[in-house]
């Protein structure tokens, strides 16, 4: 199997991944997943698509992720892995779609507007 590359985004995080057949190692920014994401929850988020199609030990994944926080990065990687698994085999799509792993979460931070304290916050109204 050749190398499949895919991209995933969440908030301001961008994850570029390279998937090839292997023994299940996941390398994030040249570190092992356990070193990059010390939290067990974030490791689980990254592995969810692989657990859904029961292919945890079948693929080696190398990830370059940039921007945002740890949670956004983990969810960007999850989207990229899901897209790559669909590209590898079209039969993987229905279970991943059902779990919602192929849906891009478009929510971003709203920009601050001029004349306001925050994006939507007005200054306190004073009658006198």
């Amino acid at each position: 199997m050749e190398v499949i590359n895919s991209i995933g985004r969440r908030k301001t995080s961008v994850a570029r991944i390279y998937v090839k057949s292997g023994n299940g190692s996941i390398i994030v920014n040249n570190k092992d997943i356990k070193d990059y994401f010390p939290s067990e929850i974030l490791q689980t988020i990254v592995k969810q698509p692989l657990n859904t199609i029961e292919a945890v030990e079948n693929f080696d994944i190398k990830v370059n992720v940039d921007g945002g926080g740890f949670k956004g990065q983990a969810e960007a990687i999850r989207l990229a892995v899901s897209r790559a698994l669909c590209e590898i085999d079209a039969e993987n799509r229905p279970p991943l779609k059902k779990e919602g792993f192929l849906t891009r979460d478009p929510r971003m931070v709203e920009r601050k507007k001029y004349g306001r304290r925050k994006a939507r916050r007005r200054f306190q109204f004073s009658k006198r």
Side-chain angles (χ1 to χ4, degrees), residues 30-108:
N30 297 321
K31 295 182 184 176
D32 189 59
I33 188 169
K34 290 179 177 63
D35 297 330
Y36 193 81
F37 293 122
S39 167
E40 193 70 40
I41 296 166
L42 296 178
Q43 292 174 31
T44 306
I45 287 173
V46 171
K47 294 176 183 174
Q48 277 177 327
L50 296 167
N51 290 330
T52 302
I53 64 161
E54 292 154 6
V56 180
E57 302 296 318
N58 299 356
F59 301 107
D60 285 346
I61 301 173
K62 184 177 184 306
V63 183
N64 294 326
V65 66
D66 185 47
F70 287 122
K71 174 90 169 166
Q73 287 183 352
E75 293 186 4
I77 294 169
R78 179 175 70 183
L79 176 62
V81 169
S82 301
R83 286 178 172 173
L85 291 174
C86 288
E87 202 172 313
I88 290 167
D89 187 4
E91 291 179 12
N92 294 335
R93 189 173 172 81
L96 294 172
K97 183 82 171 160
K98 183 171 171 275
E99 293 293 325
F101 299 150
L102 293 171
T103 306
R104 157 83 159 98
D105 192 346
R107 293 177 293 179
M108 298 263 194

